[in-house]
Amino acid sequence: MPLVSAVVADRRPLPALPRPAGPYRRAWWRFRRDRLAMGALALFALLAVVSFLGPLVIAIDPYQQDLRGSLLAPGDAGHLLGTDNFGRDVLLRLVDGGRVSMTVGLAAVSVSLAIGGLIGLFAGYFGGWTDRILMRIIDVKLAFPGILLALVIVTVLGSGLEKVMIAVGIGGIPRFARVVRGSVLNTKGELYVEAARSIGASDRRIMFVHLVPQVLGPVITIGTFGLATAILSTASLSFLGLGAQPPTAEWGLMLSEARRFIRIAWWLAVFPGLAIMLAVLTVNVIGDAVRDALDPRLQTAGD
Amino acid sequence: MAKFIAQRFVEAIPVVLLASLLVFAILHLIPGDPVDAMMGAAAFGVGTPEQRIALAEQIRDDLGLNDPLAIQYVRWLGNAVRGDLGQSYIQHQAVTKLILDRLPSTLELAGAAMLLSIVLGMSLGVIAAVKRSSPIDAAVMLFSLGGVSIPSFAFAILMILIFSVTLGLVPATGSGSFDRLILPALVLGYEGTGLIARLTRASLLEVMGLEYIRTARGKGLHPRTILRRHALRNALVPIVTIVGLQVGRLLAGSVIVETVFARQGIGQLAINAILAKDYPVVQGVILLTAVSYLVANLLVDVSYGYLNPKIRSA
């Protein structure tokens, strides 16, 4: 091949071909440019690391009572955020509460994802009566806005953190079901799905091998927002006395207990409130950026 | 138009029925017997155990609790349609009366919150859209993000701390007067304000990019006239949707806000009933919430047809 060798006479190695970037790599590239979102992500990572590793590093027990050192103002006697009515360190309890909030939040989102995702997948893929019946069941959630469905479920199950997990998880099912169903409806008519079917792939294989990867993007987005909602709902239910029970260090419960001391110890109410706010705000900002990064077309004007 | 309304109405019926079935199921799938709860400590130690069991059986018969579930459901639904939601186990009053006693307080709170979120939310949204990409815009967006991120109970306690405890401007708790309404309405309305502001902004920006707005500008209309007479009207459809959704949010949110501010309303009735396992009250409140939410959304659907003739014919 003289011609070619003449052209490539220069034997220096060619620059590496840029690997065709996959959709997630491109999304991450877009996400990285959003400075607010990167800040939020860093803050969230910090929160997660402190919540999960903190208790392993710090030797002091967040349940350790010290009645002589109760209701100390922030900064007193080495308690950075003060102590509560039992003399327990507020900062340590907040850290412990972060672990509770995140665990319950993630578990609740997993429940919504597993059940809602399957419902959406089946409804979208099989269509017809399966779709109609499944979606009518989902519609009933419409009648129970906000925290109401969780209240109903907690009424049936009784109070406690595990039950809140289930209740909040069930409350999130419709959102996942709808989004997954929508994506499946959009995708199942694609040529590659038809090709898979024509070589004899089973329904199960088409659904889980060929369709699931397609719905992953929107699922990640609503999963992120779902986590924010779950953290908020968990704290709300605990605040109402239906979630975590004393002496658990849970943010909503801490705020609820702080009400009795609001006139003498503002820090008991302010810091747990800030913690919930910060956690939820952070996750919401990340969710906004994830949505924009995964599907730039969805960006509304100026957002 | 009448056909459109009728169609929407018929479509809402199965959802109401399913919701009521779910509400009904709560009472009857819960382990434990309501009769035991009703007799409670009062019946304890009265008569022989055999007599007590016979009495409980008698009450069960009287209440129809021994009938098949399907019959009980139809009977409960029939009574509910006629406004009889049963008797509270704990308070020994009609559930309907308990609800009606507390309804005005909740309506007052929800109404004030709704008004606040519509007026403030739309104003902020319009300002943000007009001053797009300015610091004012950023501030409005941050404010509205706070609406969905700050839990109402934390915000409520913060408000009490600032305005009641520190400044002493308004009472922290209770209901019945205007100064006791300000803080709860502010707290309950914040989430809606944020959502409406965000949506107004997005919707307005979308409409402002359309051709007919360019035409209006081209013929030299005053920007304010364009905004008011041309853009805002068409931006209204999504805003009306979110206002409809707010009805549900407000009712659910009142549970928390009424608890924090110790207001005697529906929300507090519900939470106390849940804690006391007073299921007929829980059932009643939830059914009421579900129905009013669905009715609100029905009204929203109908108003679409009014706002946008294209939807009517579709």
Side-chain angles (χ1 to χ4, degrees):
Chain A
M1 291 183 284
L3 190 72
V4 174
S5 63
V7 173
V8 204
D10 183 356
R11 291 269 166 180
R12 272 181 307 177
L14 287 162
L17 250 169
R19 247 205 0 218
Y24 292 102
R25 185 177 283 269
R26 267 180 289 157
W28 169 238
W29 178 77
R30 279 191 293 264
F31 186 92
R32 244 182 357 196
R33 289 191 312 171
D34 189 337
R35 262 183 299 169
L36 182 65
M38 283 306 279
L41 190 64
L43 195 63
F44 185 74
L46 184 74
L47 224 56
V49 168
V50 170
S51 304
F52 284 97
L53 298 182
L56 303 177
V57 181
I58 313 166
I60 316 164
D61 179 3
Y63 296 96
Q64 176 67 52
Q65 299 189 3
D66 172 15
L67 293 177
R68 267 173 302 175
S70 69
L71 295 176
L72 292 177
D76 267 8
H79 296 287
L80 203 57
L81 300 182
T83 60
D84 69 4
N85 51 316
F86 291 116
R88 296 174 298 197
D89 186 89
V90 171
L91 179 61
L92 285 181
R93 287 179 68 74
L94 282 183
V95 168
D96 207 47
R99 192 175 47 81
V100 173
S101 283
M102 275 188 220
T103 316
V104 175
L106 284 173
V109 172
S110 313
V111 169
S112 324
L113 171 67
I115 303 176
L118 278 181
I119 290 179
L121 194 59
F122 276 87
Y125 184 74
F126 291 110
W129 276 105
T130 318
D131 184 29
R132 233 166 287 164
I133 291 170
L134 285 175
M135 282 299 124
R136 269 306 91 83
I137 295 172
I138 293 296
D139 270 352
V140 176
K141 166 67 174 71
L142 285 177
F144 300 94
I147 199 174
L148 214 61
L149 187 67
L151 279 180
V152 175
I153 296 166
V154 171
T155 312
V156 178
L157 297 177
S159 45
L161 266 184
E162 329 75 67
K163 282 134 189 176
V164 164
M165 220 181 270
I166 298 169
V168 173
I170 293 178
I173 288 176
R175 222 173 330 154
F176 282 92
R178 268 169 212 291
V179 169
V180 169
R181 173 178 174 270
S183 304
V184 168
L185 281 181
N186 278 337
T187 325
K188 75 168 179 184
E190 298 272 325
L191 207 56
Y192 81 93
V193 176
E194 214 173 307
R197 190 173 294 127
S198 72
I199 58 169
S202 64
D203 283 338
R204 203 175 63 191
R205 189 177 165 81
I206 293 176
M207 283 199 290
F208 289 98
V209 177
H210 298 287
L211 292 177
V212 164
Q214 294 300 313
V215 303
L216 223 51
V219 162
I220 293 173
T221 305
I222 50 168
T224 316
F225 285 123
L227 180 63
T229 314
I231 293 176
L232 203 72
S233 307
T234 306
S236 304
L237 287 169
S238 293
F239 179 82
L240 290 172
L242 299 170
Q245 301 296 325
T248 310
E250 200 278 343
W251 294 341
L253 183 63
M254 286 170 76
L255 247 173
S256 171
E257 290 171 338
R259 278 184 296 173
R260 284 191 292 147
F261 304 99
I262 192 151
R263 283 173 201 279
I264 48 174
W266 56 268
W267 57 91
L268 292 185
V270 168
F271 295 126
L274 282 178
I276 303 171
M277 226 158 84
L278 207 63
V280 179
L281 195 71
T282 309
V283 179
N284 271 334
V285 168
I286 295 174
D288 262 347
V290 165
R291 180 193 52 207
D292 294 346
L294 282 174
D295 194 350
R297 279 166 308 161
L298 273 183
Q299 267 188 48
T300 41
D303 256 345
Chain B
M1 192 66 191
K3 195 181 156 216
F4 175 80
I5 296 174
Q7 192 189 341
R8 283 297 140 101
F9 190 74
V10 169
E11 278 172 12
I13 290 175
V15 181
V16 173
L17 280 179
L18 268 173
S20 75
L21 189 62
L22 186 64
V23 171
F24 178 80
I26 300 165
L27 181 65
H28 294 88
L29 296 180
I30 293 170
D33 190 321
V35 175
D36 293 340
M38 279 170 89
M39 291 175 66
F44 195 75
V46 179
T48 63
E50 289 78 25
Q51 280 173 321
R52 281 205 297 275
I53 291 168
L55 179 63
E57 201 55 33
Q58 172 75 40
I59 296 177
R60 275 189 200 104
D61 259 348
D62 288 350
L63 292 174
L65 291 174
N66 288 331
D67 295 338
L69 273 183
I71 292 178
Q72 290 190 45
Y73 171 66
V74 171
R75 187 163 51 214
W76 176 71
L77 195 66
N79 286 337
V81 169
R82 274 173 279 154
D84 176 11
L85 293 167
Q87 291 278 322
S88 158
Y89 293 160
I90 311 285
Q91 310 206 38
H92 301 293
Q93 278 191 34
V95 174
T96 315
K97 183 176 184 310
L98 286 172
I99 289 178
L100 285 179
D101 282 349
R102 285 162 181 78
L103 198 59
S105 168
T106 300
L107 286 182
E108 178 189 77
L109 174 63
M114 175 79 96
L115 196 69
L116 181 86
S117 48
I118 293 174
V119 173
L120 193 61
M122 281 188 66
S123 316
L124 286 175
V126 170
I127 294 171
V130 172
K131 305 264 177 201
R132 186 181 171 179
S133 305
S134 71
I136 296 175
D137 184 17
V140 170
M141 289 328 283
L142 192 68
F143 171 83
S144 83
L145 191 63
V148 290
S149 300
I150 300 175
S152 59
F153 57 89
F155 187 50
I157 288 179
L158 204 67
M159 290 281 117
I160 291 177
L161 202 56
I162 296 173
F163 292 104
S164 301
V165 177
T166 311
L167 300 175
L169 289 176
V170 284
T173 53
S175 48
S177 61
F178 180 71
D179 57 352
R180 287 173 203 274
L181 181 63
I182 300 173
L183 286 188
L186 214 63
V187 170
L188 189 57
Y190 183 24
E191 186 184 357
T193 307
L195 287 173
I196 291 176
R198 225 176 150 79
L199 203 71
T200 307
R201 176 181 175 276
S203 173
L204 203 55
L205 284 178
E206 202 178 314
V207 172
M208 289 298 253
L210 296 180
E211 301 258 305
Y212 79 98
I213 296 290
R214 192 145 32 115
T215 312
R217 247 190 228 122
K219 66 183 186 186
L221 282 182
H222 194 279
R224 208 179 306 144
T225 315
I226 296 177
L227 186 71
R228 240 192 350 236
R229 298 191 53 116
H230 297 254
L232 209 49
R233 287 190 180 194
N234 275 311
L236 221 51
V237 173
I239 300 170
V240 168
T241 314
I242 203 96
V243 168
L245 291 174
Q246 280 309 302
V247 173
R249 279 176 200 278
L250 289 174
L251 288 171
S254 73
V255 173
I256 289 168
V257 174
E258 285 175 358
T259 304
V260 184
F261 290 101
R263 289 177 63 89
Q264 296 291 320
I266 299 283
Q268 216 194 22
L269 181 70
I271 200 74
N272 287 337
I274 290 174
L275 289 170
K277 303 204 178 300
D278 193 354
Y279 300 128
V281 177
V282 182
Q283 266 186 332
V285 172
I286 300 225
L287 188 68
L288 175 81
T289 313
V291 170
S292 35
Y293 184 57
L294 291 170
V295 168
N297 279 299
L298 196 68
L299 290 178
V300 166
D301 276 354
V302 171
S303 73
Y304 282 162
Y306 176 73
L307 287 170
N308 186 351
K310 267 192 247 166
I311 298 175
R312 215 180 306 162
S313 50

